[in-house]
Amino acid sequence: MTTSESKVVIIGAGVFGLSTALHLAKGEGYKDVTVFDYQPYQDNAYNPSEGCDGASADVNKIYRCTYGDETEYQDLAFSGRPIWLEWNEQIAKSKPEDLPKGLTPETKLFVPCGFYRLAVGPQLSAYDQMCLDELEKAGLREELHVKKNAADMARLAEKDKADPSTHWLEKISVFDNFQGGTLDGFVDTVAGMTYADKSCAWARYLCEKAGVKFILGPEVGKLDDLIYEGEGDSKKVVGLKTADGKEHKADVVVVACGGWTPSVLPDLNGALEATAGSVATITIPKERQDLWDKFSPEKFPCWGYGLTGHVSPEYGGFYGFPITPEGKIKIGYRGRKWTNYQTHPKTGQRLSVPKTKYTPDKAVNLPKKAIVNIKKVVFELFPELRGIGITDTRMCWYTDSVDNSFVIDYVPGYNKTLFVASGGSGHGFKFLPVLGKHVKNQLEGVQDQFTPLWKFRKAVPGEHANGLEEGENSGRNLASLELADVSDWVWAEPGEVKIEEDEKSNGVLNGLVDKVKSLVVS
Ligand SMILES: Cc1cc2nc3c(=O)[nH]c(=O)nc-3n(C[C@H](O)[C@H](O)[C@H](O)COP(=O)(O)OP(=O)(O)OC[C@H]3O[C@@H](n4cnc5c(N)ncnc54)[C@H](O)[C@@H]3O)c2cc1C
Ligand SMILES: *[C@@H]1O[C@H](CO)[C@@H](O)[C@H](O)[C@H]1NC(C)=O
């Protein structure tokens, strides 16, 4: 069993790898923890515009505590919040020269802008109600504010009165023009947004301070193969070989490769599947200060629409963020997640592997279905943005488990020398400060509330398994889908939504169409 004397190697420096390394090494902890990643994160600082394509290397992610009746995750999210705030403070108190690349003392990793969960109808969904019930049991119901509940709205008004900078009433009014303001929903005032790339850069810095070694780069940090010893019952992993040909010894190898995990470890076939979420960015021009103001995190919340109880599987499941300091508004669509089935070069098995802007087989645009749905929802929710058009898109790779719970356990058959920490299933980011505490428990064989949830498990043939049972003939495999092109990014196609004349004539649209073209060729 793994102990603080063990030589631990972690492959993957995303949220799962970083949080694990941090919790192993901190304090009087593990002395010998090494993290490998083929991304040169010391240079690109997790910036998604600079070659990073892991799920964690992103502009922003939602932090929420409402988790329906999955109270283990609810509690875990809450337990991380004070640390997110403490990290903000530590950064604010730091000297600029002491901070890792990409951060300044002004950087906030967590912005408590709230999360507006918009219902799909005039009533809350059963899931929404479950969120309210569970927070009530936890004594935290007062943090949730239901739009159609007068007492909740009065409490929200009180919060604004106590601190006018919170603008909660403004935040719960942002969808009042959508469907005549008939939809219910609630604002979660403990929720907010994390700046993802900066948070990872900070966590990596904390790891280094705690003594974790990083071996990063396309050759030196890339896992080529694990090194195995023995046969049958005594088979074990004793280290890894990297792409530069070097061998590295280890007592235990933790695979935390996000969407790449199933292709790195064929043993995980049937346990995890890489699927892509669709993300679009709308960059607001400097001259539109009205929009910069409206979408600022002070006045505009993170939001979700149709995330559960989908309007229809083809249309439902949208979320979005306030504007970033660079002027980007990010909108995501997860009503349908895409797969990219390929033949594994070593095992010959068919499995879904990530395809991004930066992989050798490049993803240049989203499936047209995703763009059409994003345009539809943006047109309805934010008519003021339709004159600008989409300025960038990204496929962001989830690692889905059979039930959306993480997979954090020893891989059977290697006498506790091979461990997997993955299966983020689209909701792992918020746990960056605390996840590793429980990964450490599983590594050390200490039972906790997550042991049964995170145990190694596979899809059971014939049973629903979160899409993993569908295989490549699911109708969502990229090879069988029509992909969008840049002309799909504007709301100007004949037969589609018309652009208002005045928006066209102010030049914003024309300017952006040119910008969009230049983005695509660069
Ligand atoms: C579109 C989208 C939206 C999301 N939104 C949210 C949200 O709002 N809130 C939230 O809490 N969570 C969200 N998530 C989930 C969250 O991003 C993930 O759960 C989390 O980032 C996963 O971290 P990871 O470390 O498992 O994977 P990753 O971040 O993908 O990291 C894997 C790492 O492994 C490295 N790697 C891969 N192969 C190798 C190899 N052979 N050798 C060496 N290194 C390798 C990669 O370079 C990468 O750095 C979202 C995810 C997606 C895709
Ligand atoms: C598993 O590893 C332990 C040492 O950690 C060893 O004592 C035991 O014999 C191993 N089991 C097998 C079946 O090889």
Side-chain angles (χ1 to χ4, degrees):
M1 192 64 76
T2 307
T3 72
S4 59
E5 298 306 308
S6 305
K7 184 173 174 57
V8 181
V9 155
I10 299 172
I11 306 164
V15 161
F16 280 60
L18 287 172
S19 192
T20 302
L22 183 58
H23 282 272
L24 289 179
K26 70 179 201 177
E28 296 296 299
Y30 285 53
K31 306 282 172 302
D32 197 344
V33 179
T34 308
V35 180
F36 290 80
D37 203 299
Y38 61 73
Q39 282 288 349
Y41 286 132
Q42 75 280 17
D43 300 325
N44 60 32
Y46 290 86
N47 186 335
S49 310
E50 286 189 32
C52 300
D53 51 9
S56 310
D58 199 354
V59 183
N60 42 24
K61 300 282 188 201
I62 295 169
Y63 169 90
R64 68 177 156 113
C65 297
T66 46
Y67 255 94
D69 60 356
E70 296 173 286
T71 51
E72 294 86 1
Y73 289 105
Q74 173 188 302
D75 296 346
L76 188 63
F78 267 113
S79 73
R81 195 171 188 275
I83 305 175
W84 280 112
L85 291 170
E86 194 185 305
W87 285 356
N88 279 353
E89 270 176 43
Q90 283 174 24
I91 292 167
K93 279 193 233 143
S94 299
K95 294 199 200 96
E97 62 272 25
D98 292 341
L99 288 169
K101 190 172 176 189
L103 274 67
T104 70
E106 287 72 45
T107 303
K108 299 260 179 290
L109 302 183
F110 172 63
V111 179
C113 61
F115 179 49
Y116 189 171
R117 213 180 167 92
L118 187 64
V120 291
Q123 266 122 38
L124 297 180
S125 70
Y127 184 88
D128 294 338
Q129 194 54 52
M130 225 160 20
C131 293
L132 294 163
D133 293 347
E134 291 302 336
L135 253 65
E136 175 137 32
K137 282 185 212 159
L140 294 156
R141 173 63 180 80
E142 64 179 36
E143 299 295 353
L144 304 183
H145 306 80
V146 178
K147 174 100 171 153
K148 293 189 178 176
N149 177 321
D152 282 4
M153 287 305 99
R155 201 169 60 248
L156 208 54
E158 284 305 315
K159 287 189 177 174
D160 275 351
K161 233 184 246 162
D163 179 1
S165 73
T166 54
H167 298 278
W168 291 118
L169 290 180
E170 219 168 314
K171 285 176 174 168
I172 203 161
S173 306
V174 294
F175 298 120
D176 281 4
N177 292 329
F178 177 53
Q179 298 195 8
T182 53
L183 301 188
D184 206 354
F186 65 81
V187 162
D188 172 353
T189 50
V190 284
M193 158 176 74
T194 58
Y195 285 116
D197 50 353
K198 295 186 165 45
S199 302
C200 290
W202 172 253
R204 200 180 80 74
Y205 162 84
L206 293 182
C207 282
E208 281 189 322
K209 284 220 304 199
V212 175
K213 292 182 283 291
F214 283 88
I215 301 186
L216 305 174
E219 298 280 313
V220 295
K222 182 168 183 166
L223 168 77
D224 181 30
D225 231 331
L226 297 173
I227 305 170
Y228 300 94
E229 235 177 57
E231 293 289 329
D233 280 356
S234 57
K235 190 172 180 186
K236 56 181 185 168
V237 168
V238 294
L240 77 152
K241 201 171 107 200
T242 39
D244 58 349
K246 269 207 180 132
E247 297 197 346
H248 308 266
K249 286 213 157 359
D251 296 321
V252 59
V253 172
V254 177
V255 179
C257 291
W260 289 268
T261 306
S263 47
V264 160
L265 266 190
D267 302 70
L268 292 163
N269 191 22
L272 296 175
E273 181 175 57
T275 69
S278 304
V279 176
T281 308
I282 298 176
T283 304
I284 306 300
K286 273 271 177 305
E287 60 272 23
R288 292 300 302 271
Q289 282 305 314
D290 56 328
L291 296 178
W292 278 74
D293 184 55
K294 174 179 171 172
F295 287 94
S296 72
E298 289 75 33
K299 297 183 181 169
F300 193 86
C302 292
W303 57 273
Y305 173 56
L307 286 177
T308 55
H310 294 170
V311 177
S312 83
E314 286 293 313
Y315 182 59
F318 301 90
Y319 58 91
F321 297 82
I323 196 165
T324 67
E326 296 79 32
K328 292 178 183 177
I329 295 178
K330 193 179 118 180
I331 291 165
Y333 166 64
R334 53 175 300 173
R336 203 95 167 100
K337 299 183 276 183
W338 320 110
T339 55
N340 175 42
Y341 268 79
Q342 300 292 331
T343 302
H344 193 283
K346 286 180 186 156
T347 67
Q349 68 185 181
R350 298 282 292 169
L351 83 174
S352 178
V353 294
K355 172 176 173 154
T356 75
K357 273 190 186 131
Y358 308 116
T359 48
D361 176 23
K362 288 194 179 10
V364 289
N365 218 316
L366 297 177
K368 197 156 175 167
K369 278 183 184 178
I371 291 286
V372 166
N373 283 331
I374 288 171
K375 280 166 70 178
K376 199 161 146 187
V377 84
V378 169
F379 178 76
E380 291 178 5
L381 290 178
F382 312 113
E384 64 275 45
L385 297 182
R386 68 186 189 227
I388 296 178
I390 293 166
T391 34
D392 196 12
T393 63
R394 178 187 189 199
M395 271 191 244
C396 176
W397 289 84
Y398 303 108
T399 320
D400 287 338
S401 73
V402 300
D403 51 14
N404 280 333
S405 212
F406 308 153
V407 178
I408 300 180
D409 196 359
Y410 286 99
V411 180
Y414 301 95
N415 196 10
K416 300 206 187 301
T417 55
L418 181 60
F419 190 90
V420 58
S422 190
S425 305
H427 66 104
F429 197 90
K430 63 184 74 61
F431 305 114
L432 174 64
V434 285
L435 183 77
K437 187 174 159 191
H438 300 277
V439 180
K440 180 170 178 274
N441 282 346
Q442 312 316 315
L443 268 166
E444 294 175 347
V446 176
Q447 302 268 322
D448 64 20
Q449 67 273 38
F450 295 104
T451 310
L453 290 177
W454 293 351
K455 68 173 189 291
F456 190 90
R457 62 204 182 279
K458 288 192 173 187
V460 178
E463 283 181 21
H464 175 74
N466 196 20
L468 269 77
E469 74 283 8
E470 290 177 1
E472 66 184 294
N473 302 316
S474 56
R476 59 192 182 116
N477 188 16
L478 288 174
S480 64
L481 293 168
E482 186 190 351
L483 294 181
D485 64 41
V486 190
S487 67
D488 296 313
W489 288 5
V490 291
W491 277 260
E493 283 173 32
E496 278 205 38
V497 175
K498 283 218 182 70
I499 306 289
E500 299 292 335
E501 265 320 303
D502 60 330
E503 279 167 4
K504 245 190 215 164
S505 58
N506 73 14
V508 169
L509 177 70
N510 293 338
L512 267 142
V513 170
D514 290 337
K515 197 163 159 214
V516 162
K517 284 183 185 144
S518 71
L519 276 172
V520 167
V521 291
S522 66

